[in-house]
């Protein structure tokens, strides 16, 4: 009996695969071309048959994915193994500034009842969110995750535009 879970198919121009960008469209061969296109987000890809790699050609720097036989593995993620030291730096980057602000607000509390009494809380929250945003942006850049492309496609799909 065939085990469908482990059934692997090679990456060829004849096949149909789930789009690695929008993750809901299908990519298949473009007529008379050595290229694949997604029917939903319309991005163009080429295949390296030998290495079983899919390359997105309409974006610079281009993104690549390796076909494992049943799913995509982002090639651009390959050499970016985050060690715990990076996580520690990231965590302190997000937590240290707001805790400093919170601490100063705690040591020198504003006059209670005044309009400024919520200021330390707002400032702490804002600095936490901003540092978190910077971190997420850095991670998206490092991993080359197509954030904008992803949301653009999801948006289009939601409102049925094309
Ligand atoms: Zn797509």
């Amino acid at each position: 009996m065939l085990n469908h879970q482990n059934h692997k198919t090679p990456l060829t121009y004849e096949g149909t695969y789930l789009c690695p960008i929008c993750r809901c469209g299908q990519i298949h061969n473009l007529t008379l071309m050595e290229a694949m296109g997604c029917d939903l987000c319309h991005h163009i890809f080429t295949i390296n048959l030998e290495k079983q790699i899919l390359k997105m050609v309409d974006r610079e720097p281009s993104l690549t994915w390796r076909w494992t036989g049943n799913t995509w593995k982002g090639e651009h993620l390959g050499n970016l193994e985050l060690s715990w030291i990076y996580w520690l730096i990231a965590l302190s980057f997000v937590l240290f500034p707001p805790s400093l602000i919170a601490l100063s607000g705690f040591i020198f509390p504003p006059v209670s009842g005044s309009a400024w009494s919520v200021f330390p809380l707002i400032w702490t929250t804002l600095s936490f969110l901003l540092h978190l945003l910077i971190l997420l942006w850095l991670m998206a850049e490092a991993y080359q995750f197509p954030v904008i492309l992803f949301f653009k496609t999801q948006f289009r799909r939601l409102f049925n535009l094309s």
Side-chain angles (χ1 to χ4, degrees), residues 18-27 37-43 45 153:
L18 186 74
C19 173
I21 293 287
C22 57
R23 288 157 214 268
C24 38
Q26 299 280 327
I27 55 173
C38 173
D39 55 7
L40 198 73
C41 63
H42 304 297
H43 283 294
F45 306 89
T153 321

Side-chain angles (χ1 to χ4, degrees), residues 98-126:
S99 51
L100 263 189
I101 296 166
L103 189 71
S104 62
F106 181 73
I107 296 172
F108 308 104
V111 183
S112 60
S114 77
W116 288 97
S117 62
V118 286
F119 184 70
L121 185 70
I122 294 169
W123 197 10
T124 307
T125 315
L126 263 181

Side-chain angles (χ1 to χ4, degrees), residues 80-96 132 135-136 138-140 142-143:
L80 259 175
E81 280 297 317
L82 282 189
S83 77
W84 62 271
I85 199 107
Y86 287 102
W87 285 112
L88 197 72
I89 293 169
L91 203 68
S92 44
F93 175 73
V94 173
L95 292 181
F96 190 61
L132 189 68
L135 183 72
L136 290 179
L138 279 175
M139 283 179 80
Y143 281 112

Side-chain angles (χ1 to χ4, degrees), residues 50 54-55 57-58 71 91 101 117 124 136 138 147-149 151:
E50 224 169 278
L54 183 80
K55 188 177 171 194
V57 286
D58 53 358
T71 185
L91 203 68
I101 296 166
S117 62
T124 307
L136 290 179
L138 279 175
V147 186
I148 296 168
L149 276 179
F151 283 113

